[in-house]
């Protein structure tokens, strides 16, 4: 075996012999799970959260990242390869991309992963199998990685698909054969007819041109993504479970349309009374102290997740928008949120002018931020994790979606649950400072909206508490894993 190409495996062997000395008797056979997230921040965090829940139940977990993300997670964790009281071991495999290649190029990343990772995964699993008979007994893979479920099937290992986004999105993917049959799309996913698709009355409608694989902007990538979605649909048929980081009450009708999807969310660190892990950037916790000094429900929290990039004009308009609100704000400015270093893009003198009421960080401990009593609202890109985290804390939204499923989530927030407001673009496609100011004021003055989100917060939290729907589903799932 080439130690260079499968560095994670070698690390694993070293760890294993060390681990043998540790509490070997604690874990029975049949309790070693291989967890494989899709290589993106919004997928790694909830998969690791699920793994931490399982580790608490005594499962041993091997958590497999791509080498690139593994290095980032290790960097943010200050080097420790074990989390969850040592029961989770972080390992890695190469994704097939060269150093410096653009991993935000989804088409390319998908293709190279498909070329390299299934074979490496099989090798990794065989290596683990050879180690004292404590082989992997279950694979939990992100639904987007159908190939990992296929490898598990080939090796006759139990398998579970994990979906970290809205169940409605997966239900739409399940509908692909019907969309082809109805001639809305071709068999390669190309758009044949522009039409509004309604899965159920309490679920946002989706236009055929906004289907998740069809709105990336580059036709070649869209074709690749469509093929992968179709392949994943097949892989999932052979999965033992399809679990989803959502809450029954948020998307109730979806579970009768797609009964295979089991809601187990929200997967939050607060359920374990601990901090969230698996971040690609080190968290700047100084903002929590800063929040302590602000008045209750006064601060606008602004964050766009891990992927969003704003052009310079929009970034400057956002800065000016925050300035003209006159309110305190906490703004996450990721080092890569603009095409050049954001410090060179701020409007002239901005940081100086807002320093008494504006806090800017590179990456925030978001779950703890949203739980802070000083937060008034969340100006968000509407990633699914951010959506669940804000709902769970009763923080209303100002919606600024950017990509893929974020438009569906925005529609859930504003049109269905009615707990947030949309920010509209002007005729040049820019969200102007005046729009930001007006919507902040409108949102903070809307008492009915605030009451609705408080009610929804209770529903969401209740689901994860003892006796709640997600709690019961997760328990049933865990009992199956133990069987
Ligand atoms: N996040 C964080 N600190 C930040 C920004 C984001 O911890 O400063 C976390 C956030 O809590 C969420 C994840 O990163 O768990 C982002 O996932 P989401 O689905 O919201 O968006 P994505 O990054 O996938 O677009």
């Amino acid at each position: 075996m080439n130690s260079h190409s499968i560095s994670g495996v070698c690390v694993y062997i070293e760890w294993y012999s060390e681990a043998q000395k540790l509490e070997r008797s604690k874990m029975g056979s049949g309790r070693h799970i291989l967890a494989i997230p899709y290589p993106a921040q919004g997928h790694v965090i909830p998969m690791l959260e699920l793994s931490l829940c399982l580790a608490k139940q005594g499962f041993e977990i091997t958590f497999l990242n791509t080498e690139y993300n593994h290095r980032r997670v290790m960097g943010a964790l200050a080097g420790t390869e074990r989390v969850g009281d040592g029961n989770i071991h972080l390992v890695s495999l190469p994704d097939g991309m060269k150093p410096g290649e653009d991993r935000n190029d989804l088409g390319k990343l998908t293709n190279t992963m498909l070329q390299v990772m299934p074979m490496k995964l099989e090798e990794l699993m065989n290596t683990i199998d050879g180690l004292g008979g404590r082989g992997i007994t279950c694979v939990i893979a992100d639904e987007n990685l159908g190939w990992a479920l296929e490898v598990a099937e080939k090796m006759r290992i139990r398998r579970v698909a994990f979906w970290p986004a809205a169940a409605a999105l997966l239900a739409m993917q399940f509908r692909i054969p019907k969309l082809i049959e109805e001639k809305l799309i071709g068999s390669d996913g190309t758009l044949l007819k522009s039409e509004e698709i309604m899965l159920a009355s309490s679920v946002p409608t989706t236009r055929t041109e906004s289907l998740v694989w069809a709105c990336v902007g580059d036709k070649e990538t869209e074709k690749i993504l469509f093929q992968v979605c179709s392949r994943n649909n097949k892989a999932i048929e052979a999965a033992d479970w399809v679990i989803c980081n959502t809450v029954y009450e948020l998307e109730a009708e979806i579970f009768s349309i797609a009964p295979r999807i089991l809601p187990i969310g929200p997967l939050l660190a607060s359920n374990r009374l601990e901090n969230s892990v698996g971040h690609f950037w080190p968290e700047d916790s100084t903002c929590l102290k800063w929040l302590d000094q602000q008045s209750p429900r006064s601060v606008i929290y602004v964050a766009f997740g891990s992927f969003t990039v704003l052009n310079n004009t929009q970034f400057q308009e956002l800065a000016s928008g925050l300035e003209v609100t006159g309110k305190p704000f906490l703004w996450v400015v990721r080092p890569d949120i603009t095409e050049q270093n954001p410090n060179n893009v701020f409007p002239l003198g901005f940081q100086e002018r807002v320093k008494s009421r504006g806090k800017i960080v590179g990456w925030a401990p978001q779950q703890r931020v949203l739980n802070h009593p000083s937060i008034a609202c969340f100006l968000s890109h509407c990633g699914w994790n951010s959506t669940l985290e804000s709902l769970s804390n009763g923080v209303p939204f100002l919606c600024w979606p950017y990509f893929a499923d974020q438009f569906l989530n925005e529609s859930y927030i504003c049109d269905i649950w009615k707990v947030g407001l949309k920010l509209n673009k002007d005729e040049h496609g820019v969200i102007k400072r005046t729009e930001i100011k007006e919507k902040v004021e409108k949102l903070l003055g809307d008492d009915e909206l605030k009451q609705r989100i408080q009610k929804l917060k209770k529903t969401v939290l209740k689901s994860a508490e003892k006796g709640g729907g997600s709690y019961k589903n997760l328990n049933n799932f865990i009992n199956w894993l133990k069987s």
Side-chain angles (χ1 to χ4, degrees), residues 206-224:
T206 307
R207 290 211 70 81
T208 39
E209 52 270 48
S210 307
L211 288 162
V212 76
W213 57 85
C215 54
V216 193
D218 140 37
K219 292 288 156 225
E220 216 31 59
T221 305
E222 289 176 7
K223 277 200 177 138
I224 296 170

Side-chain angles (χ1 to χ4, degrees), residues 2-44:
N2 177 340
S3 67
H4 183 69
S5 62
I6 315 186
S7 57
V9 178
C10 295
V11 175
Y12 188 90
I13 294 167
E14 278 161 33
W15 170 79
Y16 184 83
S17 26
E18 213 187 304
Q20 272 181 322
K21 294 177 214 144
L22 291 166
E23 306 181 64
R24 183 167 177 172
S25 58
K26 195 166 101 189
M27 291 173 255
S29 60
R31 289 186 162 214
H32 188 168
I33 293 163
L34 178 60
I36 318 176
Y38 180 82
Q41 180 69 96
H43 295 242
V44 171

Side-chain angles (χ1 to χ4, degrees), residues 42 45 279 301 305-306 332 363-364 366 381 383-386 389 406:
I45 291 176
H279 294 248
Y301 174 56
S306 58
V332 178
W363 188 254
Q366 180 166 301
H381 74 309
W384 186 248
N385 294 292
S386 296
E389 290 160 9
Q406 295 155 13

Side-chain angles (χ1 to χ4, degrees), residues 99-348:
E101 273 189 295
D102 179 13
R103 285 175 170 79
N104 289 344
D105 181 338
L106 293 180
K108 193 158 188 192
L109 178 64
T110 304
N111 268 342
T112 53
M113 281 171 64
L114 270 173
Q115 278 160 22
V116 172
M117 293 196 83
M119 194 185 71
K120 300 262 184 228
L121 176 64
E122 210 173 321
E123 283 174 13
L124 170 70
M125 286 163 74
N126 280 327
T127 310
I128 296 172
D129 257 341
L131 292 170
R134 284 171 31 126
I136 301 295
T137 49
C138 181
V139 170
I140 304 181
D142 194 293
E143 198 277 347
N144 292 288
L145 305 179
W147 53 264
L149 298 168
E150 288 163 13
V151 171
E153 186 184 8
K154 181 174 159 203
M155 296 179 79
R156 296 175 192 277
I157 295 175
R158 301 206 284 183
R159 56 217 162 265
V160 175
F162 173 63
W163 182 253
L169 196 69
L170 185 55
M172 190 58 92
Q173 184 182 298
F174 288 169
R175 212 181 160 98
I176 286 177
K178 199 150 186 268
L179 299 177
I180 295 175
E181 196 186 297
E182 289 168 350
K183 299 202 168 19
L184 294 176
I185 58 171
S187 55
D188 62 352
T190 43
L191 179 70
L192 298 180
K193 201 168 161 197
S194 168
E195 207 170 287
E196 195 106 45
I197 309 167
M198 191 196 239
L199 287 176
S201 59
S202 61
V203 175
T205 53
T206 307
R207 290 211 70 81
T208 39
E209 52 270 48
S210 307
L211 288 162
V212 76
W213 57 85
C215 54
V216 193
D218 140 37
K219 292 288 156 225
E220 216 31 59
T221 305
E222 289 176 7
K223 277 200 177 138
I224 296 170
L225 295 185
F226 177 77
Q227 278 161 14
V228 169
C229 287
S230 306
R231 180 172 173 177
N232 292 344
N233 272 351
K234 292 217 172 68
I236 217 177
E237 275 170 24
D240 295 286
W241 294 70
V242 182
I243 54 175
C244 177
N245 187 18
T246 189
V247 176
Y248 176 83
E249 287 81 358
L250 291 178
E251 311 188 71
E253 279 186 288
I254 287 296
F255 304 103
S256 33
I257 299 167
R260 281 209 77 197
I261 307 177
L262 190 76
I264 59 156
L267 290 164
L268 297 175
S270 52
N271 297 345
R272 294 177 292 112
L273 304 174
E274 281 168 31
N275 292 337
S276 149
V277 283
H279 294 248
F280 293 174
W281 292 270
E283 291 172 338
D284 183 344
S285 300
T286 58
C287 57
L288 295 172
K289 286 215 174 69
W290 180 84
L291 283 173
D292 288 343
Q293 290 153 15
Q294 310 304 317
S295 312
R297 298 271 172 232
S298 67
V299 176
I300 308 168
Y301 174 56
V302 186
F304 292 87
S306 58
F307 210 79
T308 314
V309 176
L310 300 177
N311 67 37
N312 290 359
T313 310
Q314 185 61 88
F315 182 82
Q316 289 173 347
E317 203 57 35
L318 168 58
S320 303
L322 293 173
E323 190 175 349
V324 297
T325 62
K327 300 199 182 309
F329 62 86
L330 168 59
W331 184 9
V332 178
V333 177
R334 271 187 359 256
D336 57 355
I337 196 157
T338 44
E339 271 153 17
Q340 62 205 88
N341 181 344
N343 284 322
N344 303 331
V345 186
F346 286 116
L348 203 62

